[in-house]
Amino acid sequence: MSAPSAPGILRPSGTSPRTSATPRRTPDWRLRFLALSLIWGFSFLLIKVGTHGYAPFQVTFGRLLFGTAVLAAAMAVRRERLPRSARTWGHLFVAAFFLNALPFSLFAYAELTIPSTLAGICNATSPLWGMALSLVALSEDRPTRRRVAGLGLGFIGVLTVLGAWQGFSGLDASGTAMALLASLSYPVGWIYVRRTLAGTGSSTLSLTGSQLFLGTVQLALVLPVFTTVPDHFPLPATLAVIALGALGTGLAVLLQYGLVEEVGPTTAQMVTYFIPVIATAAGVTLLGERLSWNTPVGALVVLAGAALTRSRASAGRGTPRGADGRPGAQP
């Protein structure tokens, strides 16, 4: 299964990029690729800063709210129509849970107790989970020696990051487990999308905007149960949440959407390999997080394994993605 580990974009099988009779002047795709890598790489730092002032569910709600606002504006400018089928909305509700509400919340809770660098590296395991699940759930994804080797190599990398030879000492087990579970949630959502939302007739932007809206509704229902209204709004945390939503979820979706249209999903998915590198650099330099030798070494092994699992592309197959997260997210 070819699935990026950045959060939240939907691209059901059977949909095709839209073409416009009037070409729009946009920055070179390499610049947009770099911008997307930086935005998603810094998302883990923004989550960490956001949790310094708000509860994890509040961080996730703000992220989805501001991300939805950006996509709603883009849909209005492009005159995109919302999906009309009640069945499509029902499937989008499930997709919003697995691709946005659940993983975004798990990463926010995880970063209460683990460094943002570790969260970013855990996010990079998503393609590994995706391949393992797709071999069981998707009949068209057949195992090959290279892909199985990539899966094994990737999980060796995970064990290296976690320091398995020293009994995982120094790690918060619950926080690490939540980050890994968040990464597992993305491919579960992608597989569900591939099975249910192929050929809906709606554009990727319309589906993703609707998905983020439903994720926002889900968090709005959860907030009164698990949190209280904040009595103050610290500026750093507030700005972090706004940036996480508007940039890390909303703008990132638009950038990825444009990249997939222009250079194709294979090239666009390469952003996955830059996210943990940028997340690690940001956490170490800006947050002062400590970095042991096994963390970057293990991360490189994880990325090498993920690259092997994607080494065989299937022609004519769409790439679902969701927030914050591309095709499919977000960190």
Side-chain angles (χ1 to χ4, degrees), residues 63-82:
R63 176 181 190 175
L64 287 169
L65 179 65
F66 289 107
T68 300
V70 171
L71 290 193
M75 289 175 63
V77 170
R78 301 182 186 184
R79 299 182 180 180
E80 294 277 359
R81 293 184 177 181
L82 293 172

Side-chain angles (χ1 to χ4, degrees), residues 9-33:
I9 289 180
L10 293 175
R11 189 179 184 83
S13 302
T15 62
S16 59
R18 285 187 155 191
T19 57
S20 174
T22 304
R24 295 190 298 268
R25 294 179 62 86
T26 57
D28 183 83
W29 73 266
R30 296 171 186 82
L31 295 177
R32 285 178 283 136
F33 183 95

Side-chain angles (χ1 to χ4, degrees), residues 161-210:
V161 169
L162 302 182
W165 64 90
Q166 52 189 5
F168 307 104
S169 62
L171 290 177
D172 180 80
S174 61
T176 304
M178 283 189 285
L180 291 172
L181 184 59
S183 302
L184 172 62
S185 180
Y186 289 131
V188 171
W190 300 328
I191 290 173
Y192 179 83
V193 165
R194 287 178 61 178
R195 286 183 172 273
T196 60
L197 285 172
T200 62
S202 298
S203 71
T204 303
L205 179 59
S206 175
L207 290 173
T208 306
S210 302

Side-chain angles (χ1 to χ4, degrees), residues 211-223:
Q211 173 196 321
L212 288 184
F213 168 74
L214 291 174
T216 306
V217 172
Q218 291 170 5
L219 263 293
L221 296 175
V222 166
L223 281 179

Side-chain angles (χ1 to χ4, degrees), residues 110-135:
E111 290 200 43
L112 292 176
T113 55
I114 68 173
S116 65
T117 54
L118 180 57
I121 293 171
C122 287
N123 181 74
T125 66
S126 191
L128 304 176
W129 297 118
M131 199 209 87
L133 290 174
S134 68
L135 294 179

